[in-house]
Amino acid sequence: MSANAPRILIAAGGTGGHLIPALHVARAMREINPHCKILFLGSGRPLERKLIPEAGFELEVVELRAVKGMGGVGAMKFLLSLPASISKIKAILKDFKPSVILGMGGYVSFLPVTLARLRGIPAWIHEAEWHPGLANGVLATYASRISVVFPGAGLSKLKKALVTGHPVRSDLGDVAAQPVPGVISKILLIGGSQGAQALDSAMLKLAPFLKTRGIKLRHQCRSESRAALEEGYARAEFDAEISEFITDMKEAYAWCDLVISRAGASAIMEIEAINKPAILIPYPYAQAGHQLVNARYLQQQGKALIVEEGHGFEEELKQAISKLLVPSQYADIKVKESAKRTVRAAEVIAKGCFELASAAASRI
């Protein structure tokens, strides 16, 4: 590795919504500059320990906790763990000597980015939602650059902000170029990690209906839900393909005619990139209702229906699916074009981080 190669510390994890986009950026960095050194800093959740090494990157684990929503016992544990966490992050910064730190939002990024800035290290943070969370709301005041997903989002008004879209696989645009059939026969359900039990329960109740309509289903779920789903679908004699994690999202998106999903930023940007119809079910407890705002972004383009959780949720979901099973209704939503948003967000953020590193090096 070149002695002048940039060294990038990426603070990301906690959930797939923060981690997977970070991996897209890391891959883009490696493609642009194969000599760069990349180190992930995470909280040690199983998803981090699995995906980061599988992608060929190193991971340092620090005990990091979400502050919001913790009770008295949680707050005490947080305070007791704080000195050790700060000490370890300082040691990582000293040993790794990052040229720049990339924070992907959430509690995992707050302490590392803050301590890096105190050492004079440039910081790029990424905000995926319309309104910043607690961590990015503070970090935005002293971050060097900020990337945001949506035009008009709260942080986009800052001079140091850049609207990039959200990092997704660069080859998802290939799916949009494929012909879409005139009727729905294959549904992809992406359960996500938050509040997925409601989606699981609804789909089990709708299994007999889907079976009578000849629908094939791929259902991505949490590991703790898999056994119950397999048992429920078997009882309904409905042949659904269940998986805990979809490794090849491009293949899954290419396979389906309709996506049913939560409305996190990653899901919205991926659905927009593949240009396929969707039924969006916003997570009702998301901060500031941001998933409902995200869902309306695609709804306003005519590319999605929204079904909100609450009384009669299963029936409303059934009605939404039934509506799109009518060929004329499906054709109406199918032919609308998604916004021509670039799928190069990962590349833009990667190049931006390298530019920060280069500018910092030139001042030494």
Side-chain angles (χ1 to χ4, degrees):
M1 184 178 70
S2 169
N4 296 321
R7 304 173 68 84
I8 314 297
L9 181 62
I10 301 179
T15 66
H18 295 298
L19 177 59
I20 293 173
L23 287 169
H24 291 318
V25 176
R27 292 187 185 99
M29 289 176 172
R30 196 161 53 185
E31 288 180 9
I32 295 168
N33 186 343
H35 300 294
C36 71
K37 178 68 173 176
I38 298 172
L39 176 65
F40 274 80
L41 193 157
S43 61
R45 286 195 175 187
L47 193 64
E48 299 168 17
R49 295 183 184 275
K50 172 180 169 60
L51 296 186
I52 293 172
E54 282 183 356
F57 299 106
E58 297 179 22
L59 169 66
E60 283 281 359
V61 173
V62 177
E63 185 174 354
L64 298 165
R65 299 171 182 268
V67 176
K68 185 178 179 181
M70 64 169 56
V73 174
M76 182 62 69
K77 289 181 178 179
F78 170 77
L79 291 173
L80 290 174
S81 67
L82 196 55
S85 299
I86 291 174
S87 178
K88 184 165 185 180
I89 293 169
K90 284 183 175 180
I92 292 170
L93 293 173
K94 181 180 178 181
D95 294 341
F96 184 65
K97 297 179 176 60
S99 312
V100 65
I101 183 168
L102 169 62
M104 294 300 291
Y107 67 90
V108 174
S109 66
F110 182 74
L111 272 179
V113 171
T114 299
L115 294 173
R117 290 301 289 138
L118 288 173
R119 295 175 69 95
I121 299 168
W124 185 298
I125 64 170
H126 180 69
E127 177 52 57
E129 310 301 345
W130 289 87
H131 304 289
L134 182 61
N136 271 356
V138 176
L139 293 178
T141 62
Y142 46 84
S144 309
R145 292 300 304 271
I146 304 167
S147 50
V148 298
V149 173
F150 301 103
L155 295 183
S156 68
K157 301 174 180 63
L158 299 177
K159 289 184 178 180
K160 56 186 171 182
L162 177 67
V163 178
T164 61
H166 200 50
V168 298
R169 287 179 52 147
S170 59
D171 57 0
L172 287 184
D174 298 341
V175 177
Q178 298 175 359
V180 180
V183 294
I184 294 174
S185 63
K186 293 173 285 190
I187 295 176
L188 173 66
L189 185 141
I190 306 171
S193 60
Q194 292 185 310
Q197 186 175 357
L199 302 187
D200 296 343
S201 176
M203 293 307 291
L204 283 176
K205 291 179 180 178
L206 294 181
F209 161 72
L210 296 174
K211 179 183 176 182
T212 61
R213 303 304 295 266
I215 300 296
K216 295 180 180 178
L217 175 69
R218 286 189 183 181
H219 187 147
Q220 180 269 321
C221 68
R222 298 178 301 172
S223 58
E224 57 265 37
S225 303
R226 181 164 190 156
L229 286 170
E230 289 176 342
E231 181 182 346
Y233 285 136
R235 192 182 306 117
E237 298 182 341
F238 179 55
D239 186 18
E241 181 181 329
I242 303 170
S243 59
E244 298 168 22
F245 186 80
I246 300 174
T247 303
D248 191 347
M249 284 304 303
K250 179 184 177 183
E251 185 278 331
Y253 282 132
W255 172 85
C256 73
D257 310 317
L258 171 69
V259 180
I260 299 177
S261 174
R262 287 296 192 194
S266 291
I268 295 296
M269 292 295 105
E270 288 180 354
I271 292 168
E272 185 178 61
I274 65 172
N275 199 38
K276 287 194 176 183
I279 296 174
L280 300 173
I281 305 168
Y283 179 54
Y285 306 108
Q287 180 177 327
H290 71 251
Q291 287 210 6
L292 179 57
V293 179
N294 291 351
R296 286 173 178 159
Y297 172 78
L298 277 187
Q299 182 191 49
Q300 289 167 2
Q301 295 182 37
K303 294 301 298 183
L305 303 179
I306 298 176
V307 177
E308 296 186 57
E309 284 186 40
H311 180 70
F313 168 56
E314 292 89 355
E315 182 59 31
E316 289 187 19
L317 179 57
K318 179 180 178 180
Q319 290 177 7
I321 296 172
S322 297
K323 178 179 180 179
L324 294 181
L325 287 175
V326 177
S328 60
Q329 295 285 347
Y330 182 61
D332 182 58
I333 196 170
K334 180 186 70 173
V335 298
K336 291 185 171 66
E337 287 291 325
S338 291
K340 299 298 184 181
R341 178 179 298 278
T342 178
V343 293
R344 294 177 55 250
E347 180 184 346
V348 172
I349 295 170
K351 288 181 176 178
C353 287
F354 287 153
E355 289 170 3
L356 280 181
S358 178
S362 68
R363 292 194 294 268
I364 296 176

